[in-house]
Amino acid sequence: AKTDVANTWTGQQTFNETAETAYSLTGTALDPANGGIQYKTLGSNTTFTDSLSSGQSLMLRFTMASTYTPTWPTISEWIGGEPTWTDNSNLAVFWKEGSSLYAVGKAGS
């Protein structure tokens, strides 16, 4: 690997440390290609879609008015149960194992 140019990898790589891209999500696709740390303000009821492949994950921090509701793609399991989202900063972490999408969330207080 060269350290002074962008590298393209065709096989799986292991790194000791990485820096995540923080991305302001403008659409509704939960897509780790945009970055592992994403954030969004919901301006209406929002239906998210699943664009993760097995082994991928991302964090989504979102705020919304209390009258809005996020709708998630099919989640195999919300670890600890899906929170009751608030109008403060909420956090949801998504990851995929095989074809199963999992999530854990923390509602703002």
Side-chain angles (χ1 to χ4, degrees):
K2 294 184 177 184
T3 58
D4 60 343
V5 297
N7 291 279
T8 300
W9 307 98
T10 57
Q12 182 173 336
Q13 304 298 313
T14 301
F15 299 94
N16 291 332
E17 182 178 321
T18 61
E20 293 286 347
T21 297
Y23 177 75
S24 176
L25 182 60
T26 56
T28 60
L30 300 174
D31 188 349
N34 293 325
I37 300 169
Q38 300 184 24
Y39 52 95
K40 182 174 183 71
T41 299
L42 278 60
S44 63
N45 292 334
T46 303
T47 300
F48 290 94
T49 59
D50 172 15
S51 294
L52 286 88
S53 296
S54 185
Q56 292 183 319
S57 63
L58 66 85
M59 293 187 306
L60 174 65
R61 183 184 59 79
F62 64 97
T63 57
M64 61 186 190
S66 59
T67 56
Y68 299 143
T69 303
T71 301
W72 307 107
T74 300
I75 305 291
S76 295
E77 181 181 359
W78 277 96
I79 307 301
E82 181 179 356
T84 300
W85 306 110
T86 69
D87 56 354
N88 295 313
S89 235
N90 301 285
L91 178 68
V93 178
F94 302 92
W95 68 95
K96 191 167 261 187
E97 298 173 19
S99 61
S100 298
L101 183 63
Y102 294 90
V104 64
K106 171 74 170 94
S109 53

